[in-house]
C-alpha cells in the first residue's frame, strides 16, 4: 500500500486518525506539536506517544517528502537558495531571506510556471503540476531545520502562480496562521499574483487577513501584453479594482509590484499613467504601496536594468503624487535568487 503524505492531512484528519487507532484525543495535539511546532521529521522520535502508535504512523505515512537537492549561499547578503526534490523527483526552488528583525522564506507553489512572464526564469520552466499543501508547508519546515532559524515571514513569490493552485495555497495559509501549528502572523504572509481577477475576488472573501501583492509591471494594457502573456486577458483597470476589493474585505494594504525595465516601462509617461489609474480607482492612497523592482539579469539577457537615476525619478514622481513607493533592494543576485531569477 502506498504511504500517504502526512502534511496533506487536515487538523480534523489527525484527530480522527488518533481516535481510530485507540489513542486518547490529546495525542492529536501532541502529534501536531511534534510536526508543526517542533518540526521533527521522524515519527519514531515522537517520544511522548506510544511505541505502537509511532510505528503505525511510520508504516502508513510519509512525514518528510522533500529532499535537499542543492543549497547556495550568497556571499553578499546571506540569502540561501535551496532546491528540493519531491517524492516524484521534481525540483522546486525555495529562498531563505534573513533580515535583521525577521527571517522570511520565499516559497514555490507549482512545479514550473504556466504564466511565462517574459522577464522571469520561472516562466521558462514548463509547468508540470501543482504542489500539494504539504509540499508548500514542508519548504518552511525544511528551511527551519537546515538553517536553525525560526521563520516568521512567508512570501508566496517562488516558482508558479499561487492563485492557479488556489485550494492548496488556501489550506497551507490556514496552517501557517494556525496558532497550534506555524503561528505566523497574518500580516507577515504575502501572496503575489499576476492579477487573476476572479481568484482575487475569491481570496478576498476568504478574509484571511494576509497581504496581497499584484504583479502589474505596466501602466497600460498594450505594454502589459508585451510583458505578460496575452492569455492573461484581464485589463489593468479590472485587476486594480479587484485589489481594491481585497483591501476592503481584509483590512489590508495592497502592494503593486512593478518590474522596471529599461526603455520598456521606465519613462515618466508610464509613471504618469500609473498615477492617473490609481487616482481613478483608489480613493485612499494610504492603502496602496508600490514596489519598484529593478530588473535582475535572467538567462535570456533580453532586458536591461534602467540607470539608478531613472528609477529614482520614477519613484519620486509617484511619491510626489501621494503614493508610498519603495525600490526593492535585491537579495541573492549572485546566486540567481533575486526576483525573476528563480528557475530549475
Amino acid at each position: 500500500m502506498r504511504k500517504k503524505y502526512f502534511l496533506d492531512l487536515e487538523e480534523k484528519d489527525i484527530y480522527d486518525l488518533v481516535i481510530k487507532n485507540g489513542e486518547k484525543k490529546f495525542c492529536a495535539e501532541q502529534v501536531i506539536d511534534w510536526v508543526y511546532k517542533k518540526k521533527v521529521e521522524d515519527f519514531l522520535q515522537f517520544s511522548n506517544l506510544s511505541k505502537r502508535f509511532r510505528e503505525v504512523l511510520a508504516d502508513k505515512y510519509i512525514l518528510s517528502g522533500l529532499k535537499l537537492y542543492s543549497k547556495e549561499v550568497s556571499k553578499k547578503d546571506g540569502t540561501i537558495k535551496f532546491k528540493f526534490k519531491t517524492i516524484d523527483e521534481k525540483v522546486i526552488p525555495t529562498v531563505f531571506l534573513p533580515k535583521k528583525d525577521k527571517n522570511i522564506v520565499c516559497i514555490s507553489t507549482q512545479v514550473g510556471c504556466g504564466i511565462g512572464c517574459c522577464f522571469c526564469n520561472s516562466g521558462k520552466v514548463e509547468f508540470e503540476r501543482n504542489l500539494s499543501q504539504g509540499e508548500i508547508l514542508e519548504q518552511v519546515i525544511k528551511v527551519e531545520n537546515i538553517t536553525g532559524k525560526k521563520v516568521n515571514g512567508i512570501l508566496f513569490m517562488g516558482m508558479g502562480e499561487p492563485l492557479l493552485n488556489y485550494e492548496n495555497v488556501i489550506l497551507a495559509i490556514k496552517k501557517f496562521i494556525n496558532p497550534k501549528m506555524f503561528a505566523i502572523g497574518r500580516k507577515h504572509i504575502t501572496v503575489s499574483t499576476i492579477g487573476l481577477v476572479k481568484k482575487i475576488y475569491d481570496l478576498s472573501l476568504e478574509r484571511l487577513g494576509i497581504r496581497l501583492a499584484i504583479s502589474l509591471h505596466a501602466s497600460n494594457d498594450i505594454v502589459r501584453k508585451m510583458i505578460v502573456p496575452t492569455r492573461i486577458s484581464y485589463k489593468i483597470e479590472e485587476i486594480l479594482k479587484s485589489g481594491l476589493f481585497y483591501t476592503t474585505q481584509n483590512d489590508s494594504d495592497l502592494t503593486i509590484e512593478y518590474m522596471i525595465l529599461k526603455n520598456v516601462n521606465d519613462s515618466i509617461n508610464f509613471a504618469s499613467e500609473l498615477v492617473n489609474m490609481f487616482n481613478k480607482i483608489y480613493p485612499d492612497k494610504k492603502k496602496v504601496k508600490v514596489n519598484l523592482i529593478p530588473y535582475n539579469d535572467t538567462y535570456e539577457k533580453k532586458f536591461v536594468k534602467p540607470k539608478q537615476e531613472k528609477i529614482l525619478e520614477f519613484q519620486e514622481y509617484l511619491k510626489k503624487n501621494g503614493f508610498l513607493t519603495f525600490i526593492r533592494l535585491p537579495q541573492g543576485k549572485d546566486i540567481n535568487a533575486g526576483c525573476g531569477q528563480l528557475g530549475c
Side-chain angles (χ1 to χ4, degrees):
M1 181 182 71
R2 184 177 177 182
K3 292 184 180 182
K4 296 180 180 178
Y5 191 23
F6 190 84
L7 294 175
D8 283 337
L9 295 182
E10 296 306 307
E11 187 175 354
K12 178 183 179 299
D13 298 331
I14 298 174
Y15 278 91
D16 289 346
L17 176 65
V18 164
I19 299 301
K20 182 181 177 180
N21 281 276
E23 301 292 328
K24 300 292 186 183
K25 187 177 179 180
F26 69 83
C27 289
E29 295 173 9
Q30 293 174 321
V31 172
I32 290 169
D33 185 66
W34 282 108
V35 174
Y36 292 105
K37 290 288 189 183
K38 296 185 175 73
K39 297 178 176 64
V40 173
E41 299 183 78
D42 182 352
F43 290 118
L44 299 180
Q45 293 182 23
F46 295 7
S47 56
N48 57 356
L49 299 180
S50 69
K51 184 172 183 291
R52 182 197 65 81
F53 186 47
R54 282 181 277 165
E55 289 174 347
V56 167
L57 291 173
D59 185 57
K60 293 184 177 180
Y61 294 94
I62 295 170
L63 183 54
S64 179
L66 300 181
K67 304 300 179 188
L68 181 63
Y69 181 74
S70 67
K71 172 186 171 185
E72 294 178 86
V73 182
S74 169
K75 295 179 181 178
K76 293 183 177 180
D77 53 42
T79 296
I80 306 175
K81 182 171 74 173
F82 298 97
K83 290 184 181 180
F84 295 113
K85 187 172 282 189
T86 63
I87 294 170
D88 59 347
E89 301 290 301
K90 309 300 181 186
V91 178
I92 56 171
T94 306
V95 180
F96 176 64
L97 301 161
K99 307 276 188 181
K100 285 184 179 179
D101 56 342
K102 59 183 175 180
N103 297 309
I104 299 171
V105 176
C106 178
I107 57 179
S108 295
T109 55
Q110 297 180 309
V111 178
C113 181
I115 301 297
C117 296
C118 59
F119 61 81
C120 182
N121 282 341
S122 292
K124 307 297 184 292
V125 182
E126 183 179 358
F127 172 76
E128 294 192 58
R129 66 172 178 83
N130 288 327
L131 297 182
S132 74
Q133 64 157 314
E135 290 170 321
I136 295 170
L137 298 169
E138 194 180 351
Q139 292 172 69
V140 177
I141 292 172
K142 280 285 191 288
V143 168
E144 283 202 2
N145 285 341
I146 293 170
T147 65
K149 303 288 186 181
K150 171 67 177 173
V151 170
N152 41 33
I154 306 288
L155 301 175
F156 284 82
M157 295 184 183
M159 179 177 284
E161 163 57 58
L163 297 189
L164 286 178
N165 188 9
Y166 186 84
E167 182 178 347
N168 289 329
V169 165
I170 296 300
L171 291 171
I173 291 170
K174 288 178 178 178
K175 286 185 178 177
F176 282 139
I177 64 178
N178 187 329
K180 291 190 290 186
M181 294 183 172
F182 289 87
I184 294 174
R186 297 168 190 267
K187 300 302 183 185
H188 297 296
I189 299 173
T190 301
V191 170
S192 177
T193 175
I194 199 63
L196 303 181
V197 170
K198 184 181 182 304
K199 293 296 185 182
I200 292 173
Y201 281 111
D202 290 343
L203 180 64
S204 302
L205 296 176
E206 301 279 354
R207 296 185 176 89
L208 295 170
I210 60 169
R211 296 189 182 277
L212 177 68
I214 294 178
S215 297
L216 200 66
H217 308 317
S219 59
N220 64 67
D221 294 316
I222 294 173
V223 175
R224 183 170 157 90
K225 284 183 179 180
M226 292 168 51
I227 299 172
V228 181
T230 54
R231 64 179 175 273
I232 308 301
S233 58
Y234 298 111
K235 295 185 180 299
I236 286 177
E237 186 169 345
E238 294 178 279
I239 294 169
L240 295 179
K241 283 180 178 177
S242 70
L244 173 62
F245 184 75
Y246 184 86
T247 67
T248 62
Q249 297 298 309
N250 289 269
D251 188 28
S252 175
D253 298 342
L254 175 70
T255 299
I256 299 296
E257 297 176 310
Y258 192 97
M259 178 70 73
I260 192 161
L261 308 165
K262 183 178 179 180
N263 298 331
V264 177
N265 62 358
D266 63 338
S267 75
I268 290 299
N269 288 338
F270 289 111
S272 176
E273 283 185 338
L274 273 182
V275 167
N276 291 337
M277 184 69 77
F278 289 163
N279 283 334
K280 179 179 177 182
I281 294 169
Y282 298 126
D284 185 358
K285 294 181 179 182
K286 294 179 182 178
K287 285 289 186 180
V288 184
K289 179 178 77 173
V290 181
N291 267 351
L292 298 178
I293 308 171
Y295 172 70
N296 296 311
D297 289 340
T298 54
Y299 301 141
E300 289 194 351
K301 309 289 183 183
K302 186 177 180 180
F303 299 104
V304 177
K305 172 187 170 183
K307 290 184 177 179
Q308 187 66 11
E309 311 89 78
K310 194 81 171 178
I311 300 172
L312 289 170
E313 184 183 24
F314 200 103
Q315 178 194 31
E316 191 58 30
Y317 187 92
L318 294 179
K319 288 173 71 175
K320 278 184 178 179
N321 282 275
F323 293 96
L324 194 62
T325 308
F326 299 92
I327 298 171
R328 183 182 292 175
L329 295 175
Q331 284 188 253
K333 282 185 66 175
D334 56 323
I335 56 171
N336 287 325
C339 183
Q341 292 184 312
L342 294 183
C344 288

